[in-house]
Amino acid sequence: MAMIAKQCPDIPVHVVDLNQERIDAWNSDQLPIYEPGLEEVVKEARGRNLTFSTRVDDAIQEADIIFISVNTPTKTFGIGAGRAANLEFIEKCARQIAKNATGHKIVVEKSTLPVRTAEAVKRILSSECSGATFDVLSNPEFLAEGTAIDDLLNPDRVLIGGESEAAIETLCSVYARWIPLEQILTTNLWSSELSKLTANAFLAQRVSSINAMSALCEATGADIDEVARAIGSDSRIGPKFLKASIGFGGSCFQKDILNLVYLCDHFGLREVANYWEQVVVMNDYQKRRFSEDIVKTMFNTVSDKKIGIWGFAFKKDPNDTRESAAIYVCRDLLRERARLCIHDPRVPEKQIRQELMAACTDMSGNLTEKDRWLVENNVSIAKDCYEAADDAHAIAVLTEWDEFKTIDFEKVHLSMHRPSFLFDGRNLLDQTTMDAIGFEMHAIGKSFNRQNSPN
Ligand code: UDX
């Protein structure tokens, strides 16, 4: 919305939320999320044609176009728990719009939704006899965190799905202020809703595919980065999203695939559901494989050993930890009784502890006393990489922060126990340099024995 306001100074954009604290943050110098370049965009438009408030009913009455942008987390209870999307917030929005709208409104689904949600939204909107009329459009968002501003300024495409030509035309005219018309794709409602889930499923599938091959590389002596380069130069495959890692995280991939799996099941497509579910199964395997390899390599025990954890965010640049692979790697190491000293340049201590507690809690909300004790007593937070590595038996790199590349590794090595294990979960560091300093480095998709023997 901030980008629309920036690019279209003549269009008033009013962002509303029920949460006063969050709105206050949007009106302050401390925005509630960190995203490179966002602050400048907000500052340019705020007070001109971009306002933030909790006046939800007024905003509904005043608007011609209403974007529903609430979250749709995976259900944690009832039918479809653990897989289906929780549409509670969407429904509440639709009901509030229905109650307060007058005249004609275009209602745009911006949240990622299961296919045919628009149907339900339409029914709810028409259920109040207020005399208002509605067109419902689907306009999914494809931006990625960390590059959001550029993704919004120069998107590969904008997708608008709907039935009413006039409504599509109106929304197109907003984006057309800065995006070439040939990049604005229009489809029917259901294609648009499904395209978002499909895009995320395909992207996550690429990561799981390369991660699956990384396990085979480690077993055979092939090098995953070389394999990725070799296949990525086939123009039909392309080079992007082929970086082996400890597994994908973030708020979208797992949630959207599970949602897709639930949908396929709902329509009786068991084989299709199984096929996509494997992307998540492989991702869980990759996270588990990494922590298990650490334990095996460190003489089958990490109990009471200090392990320095570098990075906790799900990827570099944002401070977002939702579904970060680091959470699960840390939880598994904690359950092996390791002492973890975690440093992330942007993630605060409170968030790290909350994520670890949540990861130790089962679906029914139970947290064992042992797990609580481990998170409280075996986790410490370091102000920098040096403190995290000091007196440690191992370092595990879990997020690919650029600043980790310029650390004084000689100094780090001197402060550690021998052998000084270095587990690079992001293939961020140079193997030859680390070997020369004296680390025993293990990287994803690189066989340790073969790395160290020319034969
Ligand atoms: C994703 C989609 O890219 C975006 O289009 C959608 O709108 C929201 O979900 P995001 O979650 O912000 O965006 O991050 P993305 O860059 O896609 O990375 C997701 C995860 O995959 C990260 O944990 C990242 O580290 C991992 N990843 C990505 C890899 O492990 N290897 C890769 O090659 C690419």
Side-chain angles (χ1 to χ4, degrees):
M1 292 306 110
M3 183 57 76
I4 290 178
K6 174 183 152 36
Q7 299 300 97
C8 316
D10 56 315
I11 301 181
V13 177
H14 191 171
V15 178
V16 288
D17 198 290
L18 299 175
N19 184 333
Q20 183 70 53
E21 211 181 309
R22 192 151 267 256
I23 287 297
D24 289 346
W26 281 111
N27 280 321
S28 76
D29 286 336
Q30 274 295 315
L31 301 186
I33 54 168
Y34 175 76
E35 182 64 38
L38 176 65
E39 202 175 329
E40 289 75 12
V41 173
V42 170
K43 280 191 174 153
E44 182 183 330
R46 197 170 56 189
R48 181 187 66 191
N49 61 326
L50 175 65
T51 42
F52 297 93
S53 87
T54 51
R55 295 189 298 108
V56 182
D57 294 348
D58 293 347
I60 292 170
Q61 277 157 25
E62 290 157 13
D64 297 308
I65 309 178
I66 301 168
F67 290 84
I68 301 185
S69 315
V70 291
N71 59 340
T72 50
T74 305
K75 267 185 93 175
T76 53
F77 53 85
I79 301 167
R83 297 197 301 167
N86 181 351
L87 300 180
E88 180 186 342
F89 308 120
I90 295 283
E91 180 167 345
K92 283 185 175 149
C93 278
R95 287 189 186 280
Q96 195 159 2
I97 293 170
K99 210 161 137 229
N100 290 284
T102 48
H104 185 74
K105 309 281 180 200
I106 297 174
V107 176
V108 184
E109 298 175 344
K110 199 69 181 156
S111 310
T112 302
L113 296 167
V115 189
R116 301 201 82 92
T117 304
E119 188 94 338
V121 170
K122 270 196 267 179
R123 280 192 55 198
I124 295 166
L125 289 174
S126 57
S127 63
E128 292 273 337
C129 305
S130 61
T133 53
F134 301 96
D135 280 315
V136 177
L137 298 179
S138 158
N139 173 219
E141 185 50 65
F142 295 101
L143 64 79
E145 289 187 32
T147 53
I149 298 301
D150 193 49
D151 293 345
L152 287 166
L153 266 179
N154 307 298
D156 288 342
R157 77 321 204 173
V158 165
L159 185 57
I160 301 175
E163 284 157 352
S164 151
E165 284 298 326
I168 293 176
E169 195 54 42
T170 305
L171 189 55
C172 267
S173 72
V174 174
Y175 287 111
R177 308 287 185 98
W178 78 96
I179 295 160
L181 272 180
E182 56 278 14
Q183 275 160 255
I184 305 179
L185 311 182
T186 56
T187 64
N188 76 33
L189 262 177
W190 328 123
S191 301
S192 172
E193 287 180 339
L194 185 58
S195 297
K196 170 69 190 193
L197 291 183
T198 310
N200 277 348
F202 269 59
L203 289 169
Q205 182 198 43
R206 277 175 77 95
V207 179
S208 274
S209 296
I210 202 74
N211 282 343
M213 298 316 292
S214 76
L216 190 56
C217 284
E218 286 165 36
T220 57
D223 179 316
I224 196 63
D225 288 336
E226 291 178 353
V227 172
R229 187 154 50 91
I231 64 165
S233 44
D234 182 327
S235 61
R236 293 167 303 175
I237 297 175
K240 293 182 181 165
F241 263 73
L242 289 180
K243 184 83 189 148
S245 66
I246 46 170
F248 59 76
S251 63
C252 293
F253 282 175
Q254 173 157 323
K255 168 177 83 82
D256 289 353
I257 291 177
L258 293 175
N259 192 349
L260 185 65
V261 168
Y262 184 72
L263 265 177
C264 295
D265 256 343
H266 173 81
F267 289 105
L269 304 169
R270 192 58 235 164
E271 285 77 5
V272 185
N274 286 344
Y275 175 78
W276 286 110
E277 195 160 27
Q278 279 305 309
V279 173
V280 174
V281 170
M282 181 52 62
N283 198 46
D284 288 340
Y285 166 73
Q286 186 75 349
K287 293 182 262 189
R288 202 171 56 243
R289 198 169 74 79
F290 186 74
S291 52
E292 285 175 3
D293 276 352
I294 292 180
V295 178
K296 263 189 247 155
T297 306
M298 294 175 73
F299 316 109
N300 289 312
T301 176
V302 290
S303 178
D304 202 35
K305 288 178 182 164
K306 175 176 171 181
I307 300 179
I309 302 289
W310 290 8
F312 199 78
F314 83 99
K315 69 178 196 184
K316 70 171 178 176
D317 292 336
N319 59 356
D320 195 339
T321 50
R322 284 175 290 176
E323 285 304 327
S324 176
I327 302 170
Y328 302 96
V329 170
C330 288
R331 180 198 60 191
D332 293 350
L333 291 173
L334 274 179
R335 286 179 170 164
E336 289 289 333
R337 310 283 190 266
R339 287 184 289 117
L340 304 183
C341 189
I342 304 174
H343 168 67
D344 187 284
R346 271 201 233 280
V347 182
E349 169 161 3
K350 190 170 157 211
Q351 194 174 334
I352 294 177
R353 290 192 187 278
Q354 274 172 354
E355 289 284 19
L356 289 173
M357 285 291 186
C360 290
T361 306
D362 67 18
M363 285 278 270
S364 323
N366 301 317
L367 172 69
T368 65
E369 270 317 303
K370 188 71 216 177
D371 279 344
R372 180 191 297 280
W373 190 91
L374 286 168
V375 176
E376 278 168 0
N377 294 281
N378 274 22
V379 175
S380 58
I381 307 296
K383 67 175 182 312
D384 57 25
C385 287
Y386 299 104
E387 189 184 328
D390 186 38
D391 203 29
H393 291 261
I395 296 168
V397 178
L398 305 187
T399 312
E400 71 283 18
W401 291 101
D402 287 330
E403 54 213 88
F404 295 167
K405 287 189 271 192
T406 54
I407 294 287
D408 179 348
F409 281 94
E410 301 270 3
K411 182 173 158 188
V412 167
H413 184 250
L414 275 175
S415 74
M416 290 175 65
H417 288 267
R418 303 286 175 271
S420 309
F421 294 104
L422 177 51
F423 299 94
D424 186 354
R426 297 287 183 167
N427 290 358
L428 183 74
L429 307 173
D430 180 58
Q431 177 87 51
T432 319
T433 315
M434 297 303 138
D435 287 349
I437 293 171
F439 286 103
E440 182 180 315
M441 176 158 145
H442 296 253
I444 302 278
K446 301 182 189 233
S447 144
F448 177 70
N449 292 331
R450 306 264 178 145
Q451 277 164 24
N452 288 286
S453 84
N455 303 315

